[in-house]
């Protein structure tokens, strides 16, 4: 009886396979390809519009609660709708381009790079922004009253560097002019020592003009504008002199100059002098003063920066990094100090996710631009260019960063769409960074918005079934043999199990089951 049943089953399978014509295979694979293609198109449209997979969202929102899961994506406060609007406005505002507080000197540093490599480290867009800054800071409506200031007003608009330098010399031939010395110090001086000498000459004239306009500032709008311009000129000169001292190794002198400047002009926060101060204090390894500066400027109401966030993380890491071991931490768990350090690193990485690859030297550095985009690749380059040595000086800090920084993105499923400690990551950073950074640099666009699994799966399924349909249409006999062999192989484990069951069960019981 068992032999008869086996022969009967085998005969049915052979008859079934023989009745499947090539047209059936073409229709089957074509239909599967069409269905998977429609799913792919819908998934892609939904992902482009809402930033997530429809199948994944349905699974999380409807199936997961049925299975006992909890949906963490629901808003926790009634103000979530207002928060979406606020976050969109904040994303636009965060794409504002800022002047790099640690920008290099064109003549002494940027031009030397060009002489050696033949590459231009600054883009036209970046230099054009600097020209606009110079016109805003160093000119006013009454410049036509003084011939030298009138010449410099035109000089700041010149695109040709040599034309700007020539105009500055023409202005100095007429009379002493602070802004003319500034231009020569920035663009003509080929060393920091030469630039410092020119800035010292500019300082004497700038202080004289500032005192004179300070006495007349309340005599009308014209004098008020002159005083504002003279104040900007004086602050700029003193800040650049402090940076010259820092570059020439006189770091303590630079710190004193920066502190005096911040006390004298506390309201001029547009120059971000505190970031220069933080870098100089880190060079002196004066971590207590660094913490004091952070306590003043790492405030929720102030715009954050990579310097603020990563310096705070460095100080937290410094307390535990020399004894940190990933293996030991995985066995015993993180201590309170280690947890604070990891949380500070996660906070910094969420603010600017591009910095760790430069700090860990996974990506090569270039000269920083004159303007940066906060939370962008340009800011990461500017920060790392000056602060990498400070991270290397703290034993184990880079190791702790290497072990923990990627964990940030496990807390933020889609960094481009959601935020944890900060507003959502701005989507405009890549476009702005490509304008700020030179063409030979590969702009970092991490974190990339990765395609959901179901879009990749349906794309693969659609391509596979379409290929099967095409092959079946072109080679029907060969594909028929292949399909029979595939089905026979597919049913082979089932046949093996059935034979084992038949050998174990009594023949009478098996006969009754087959009849049922």
């Amino acid at each position: 009886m068992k032999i008869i049943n086996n022969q009967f089953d085998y005969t049915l399978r052979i008859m079934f396979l023989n009745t499947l014509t090539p047209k059936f295979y073409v229709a089957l694979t074509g239909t599967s390809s069409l269905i998977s293609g429609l799913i792919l198109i819908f998934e892609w449209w939904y992902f482009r519009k809402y930033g997530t997979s429809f199948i994944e969202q349905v699974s999380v929102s409807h199936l997961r609660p049925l299975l006992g899961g909890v949906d963490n994506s629901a808003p926790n406060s009634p103000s979530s709708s207002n928060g979406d609007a606020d976050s969109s406005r904040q994303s636009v505002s965060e794409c504002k381009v800022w002047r790099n507080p640690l920008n290099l000197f064109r003549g002494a540093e940027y031009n030397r790079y060009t002489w050696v490599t033949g590459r231009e480290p600054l883009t036209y867009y970046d230099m054009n922004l600097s020209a606009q800054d110079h016109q805003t800071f160093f000119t006013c409506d009454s410049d036509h009253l003084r011939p030298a200031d009138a010449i410099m007003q035109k000089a700041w608009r010149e695109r040709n560097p040599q034309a700007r330098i020539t105009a500055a010399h023409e202005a100095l031939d007429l009379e002493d002019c602070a802004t003319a010395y500034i231009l020569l110090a920035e663009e003509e001086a080929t060393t920091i020592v030469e630039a410092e000498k020119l800035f010292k000459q500019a300082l004497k004239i700038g202080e004289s003009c500032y005192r004179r306009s300070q006495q007349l500032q309340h005599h009308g709008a014209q004098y008020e504008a002159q005083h504002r311009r003279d104040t900007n000129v004086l602050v700029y000169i003193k800040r650049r002199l402090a940076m010259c001292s820092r570059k020439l190794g006189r770091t303590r002198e630079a710190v004193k100059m920066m502190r005096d400047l911040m006390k004298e002009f506390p309201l001029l926060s547009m120059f971000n002098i505190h970031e220069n101060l933080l870098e100089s204090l880190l060079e002196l390894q004066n971590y207590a003063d660094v913490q004091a500066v952070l306590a003043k400027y790492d405030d929720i109401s102030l715009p954050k920066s990579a310097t603020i966030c990563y310096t705070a993380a460095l100080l937290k890491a410094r307390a535990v990094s020399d004894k940190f071991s990933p293996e030991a931490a995985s066995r015993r768990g993180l201590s309170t100090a280690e947890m604070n350090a990891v949380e500070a690193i996660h906070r910094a990485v969420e603010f600017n996710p591009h910095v760790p690859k430069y700090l860990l030297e996974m990506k090569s550095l270039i000269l920083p631009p004159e303007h940066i985009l906060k939370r962008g690749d340009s800011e990461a380059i500017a920060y790392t260019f000056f602060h990498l040595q400070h991270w290397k000086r703290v034993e184990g800090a880079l190791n702790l960063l290497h072990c923990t920084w990627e964990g940030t993105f496990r807390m933020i499923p889609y960094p481009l769409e959601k935020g944890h400690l900060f507003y959502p990551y701005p989507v405009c950073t890549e476009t702005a960074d490509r304008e700020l950074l030179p063409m030979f640099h590969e702009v970092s666009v991490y974190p990339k918005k990765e395609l959901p699994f179901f879009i990749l799966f349906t794309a693969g399924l659609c391509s596979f079934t379409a290929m099967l349909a095409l092959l079946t249409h072109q080679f029907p006999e060969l594909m028929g043999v292949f399909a029979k062999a595939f089905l026979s192989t597919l049913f082979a484990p089932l046949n093996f199990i059935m034979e084992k069951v038949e050998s174990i069960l009594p023949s009478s019981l098996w006969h009754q089951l087959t009849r049922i």
Side-chain angles (χ1 to χ4, degrees):
M1 177 62 73
K2 183 167 72 173
I3 296 174
I4 295 174
N5 287 335
N6 289 339
Q7 290 179 347
F8 180 71
D9 293 339
Y10 179 76
T11 303
L12 286 178
R13 285 198 293 268
I14 294 299
M15 290 177 61
F16 174 73
L17 293 175
N18 289 333
T19 55
L20 298 181
T21 63
K23 292 183 179 180
F24 171 79
Y25 294 119
V26 173
L28 177 64
T29 54
T31 304
S32 302
S33 178
L34 176 62
I35 294 173
S36 58
L38 292 176
I39 296 174
L40 172 64
I41 293 172
F42 176 76
E43 274 280 283
W44 177 253
W45 169 81
Y46 195 89
F47 175 71
R48 294 282 295 184
K49 186 173 182 179
Y50 299 104
T52 186
S53 165
F54 173 76
I55 299 176
E56 183 178 356
Q57 186 179 28
V58 170
S59 301
V60 171
S61 302
H62 300 286
L63 298 181
R64 189 175 173 186
L66 295 176
L67 298 175
V70 180
D71 185 7
N72 295 324
S73 63
N76 295 323
S77 64
S79 61
S80 61
S81 59
N82 295 331
D84 293 339
D86 293 338
S87 64
S88 63
R89 288 195 296 269
Q90 185 69 16
S91 296
V92 175
S93 66
E94 284 209 10
C95 287
K96 174 185 175 182
V97 175
W98 300 73
R99 187 160 181 84
N100 181 8
L102 293 168
N103 65 303
L104 305 177
F105 294 84
R106 285 192 187 178
E109 293 172 306
Y110 286 120
N111 285 348
R112 295 174 71 86
Y113 177 84
T114 304
W115 298 338
V116 173
T117 64
R119 292 176 170 180
E120 290 290 342
L122 299 177
T123 64
Y124 172 75
Y125 175 71
D126 192 15
M127 291 188 289
N128 186 52
L129 290 175
S130 296
Q132 295 176 19
D133 293 339
H134 295 152
Q135 293 175 51
T136 302
F137 296 151
F138 303 148
T139 64
C140 65
D141 295 336
S142 62
D143 283 346
H144 64 278
L145 300 177
R146 296 180 60 190
D149 290 337
I151 293 175
M152 288 307 301
Q153 193 173 47
K154 295 179 181 179
W156 296 120
R157 297 194 184 101
E158 288 285 349
R159 294 184 179 181
N160 187 351
Q162 192 57 45
R164 291 195 296 271
I165 294 172
T166 302
H169 283 293
E170 291 178 0
L172 289 175
D173 290 339
L174 296 176
E175 58 182 327
D176 285 338
C177 180
T179 55
Y181 281 118
I182 289 176
L183 192 148
L184 295 178
E186 291 285 352
E187 302 195 29
E188 187 181 44
T190 56
T191 63
I192 300 298
V193 174
E194 293 178 13
E196 186 180 37
K197 291 180 180 178
L198 291 169
F199 274 120
K200 286 181 178 179
Q201 291 177 281
L203 180 61
K204 296 178 182 178
I205 305 168
E207 287 179 334
S208 176
C209 293
Y210 174 76
R211 286 192 296 267
R212 187 165 53 250
S213 63
Q214 189 177 29
Q215 297 172 357
L216 302 173
Q217 62 175 317
H218 301 299
H219 292 187
Q222 174 182 328
Y223 294 104
E224 183 69 30
Q226 288 181 0
H227 178 66
R228 184 165 55 251
R229 187 272 310 272
D230 292 338
T231 302
N232 291 336
V233 170
L234 183 61
V235 172
Y236 186 89
I237 293 171
K238 289 188 174 183
R239 172 177 165 270
R240 292 304 257 177
L241 276 172
M243 293 178 69
C244 288
S245 297
R246 167 68 183 92
K247 291 175 184 292
L248 294 173
R250 304 194 303 268
T251 310
R252 295 188 183 279
E253 178 184 337
V255 168
K256 183 180 183 305
M257 295 173 67
M258 293 173 192
R259 289 189 185 278
D260 293 342
L261 188 57
M262 294 168 66
K263 290 179 181 177
E264 188 177 358
F265 302 97
L267 300 179
L268 286 181
S269 59
M270 58 185 174
F271 290 107
N272 291 324
I273 304 171
H274 61 277
E275 297 198 9
N276 299 85
L277 179 61
L278 283 172
E279 196 279 327
S280 299
L281 290 173
L282 286 171
E283 177 63 21
L284 295 174
Q285 302 184 46
N286 196 341
Y287 297 110
D289 286 351
V290 172
Q291 185 61 56
V293 175
L294 286 178
K296 181 178 180 181
Y297 288 95
D298 193 3
D299 186 82
I300 193 170
S301 62
L302 296 174
K304 294 293 187 294
S305 67
T307 301
I308 294 291
C309 295
Y310 278 89
T311 302
L314 177 60
L315 293 188
K316 294 285 181 64
R318 177 176 170 269
V320 298
S321 59
D322 58 335
K323 299 178 181 178
F324 178 78
S325 171
E327 295 79 10
S330 62
R331 288 195 305 268
R332 58 173 171 77
L334 295 175
S335 64
T336 303
E338 289 173 339
M339 184 64 70
N340 292 336
V342 172
E343 288 177 354
I345 290 175
H346 286 176
R347 172 179 180 261
V349 174
E350 182 182 345
F351 182 83
N352 193 317
H354 310 286
V355 173
K357 285 192 174 182
Y358 291 108
L359 286 177
L360 298 172
E361 298 182 81
M362 300 166 64
K363 191 174 181 183
S364 59
L365 270 175
I366 61 171
L367 293 185
E370 292 184 337
H371 288 80
I372 59 174
L373 183 68
K374 290 191 175 182
R375 307 186 74 176
D377 191 28
S378 52
E379 185 192 33
I381 292 171
Y383 170 79
T384 311
F385 188 86
F386 294 99
H387 288 262
L388 177 59
Q389 58 182 334
H390 306 316
W391 279 81
K392 288 184 175 181
R393 188 178 291 122
V394 177
E395 183 182 355
L398 290 176
N399 177 50
L400 180 60
L401 177 69
H402 174 73
C403 296
T404 57
W405 75 278
E406 290 181 327
T408 307
F409 305 109
R410 287 194 287 270
M411 299 184 299
I412 310 173
Y414 293 103
L416 297 179
E417 301 294 332
K418 300 178 182 179
H420 179 58
L421 299 174
F422 297 98
Y423 286 99
Y425 187 81
V427 296
C428 61
T429 52
E430 180 182 354
T431 304
D433 277 332
R434 291 189 186 279
E435 295 288 335
L436 288 171
L437 298 172
M439 293 297 296
F440 59 81
H441 173 72
E442 182 182 354
V443 176
S444 175
V445 294
Y446 188 83
K448 294 180 180 178
K449 180 196 273 186
E450 298 181 356
L451 292 176
F453 166 76
F454 292 104
I455 289 183
L456 300 176
F457 175 76
T458 52
L461 181 62
C462 176
S463 302
F464 178 71
T465 53
M467 182 183 67
L468 284 181
L470 179 62
L471 292 175
T472 305
H473 184 266
Q474 293 293 327
F475 310 101
E477 295 181 359
L478 181 62
M479 292 302 294
V481 173
F482 173 78
K484 293 176 182 179
F486 175 77
L487 291 175
S488 300
T489 305
L490 186 65
F491 285 115
L494 181 62
N495 292 335
F496 177 77
I497 294 174
M498 294 290 291
E499 290 177 359
K500 290 295 183 180
V501 171
E502 289 175 1
S503 62
I504 295 174
L505 294 177
S507 58
S508 58
L509 178 60
W510 179 250
H511 177 66
Q512 295 294 329
L513 291 175
T514 54
R515 290 183 61 184
I516 295 175

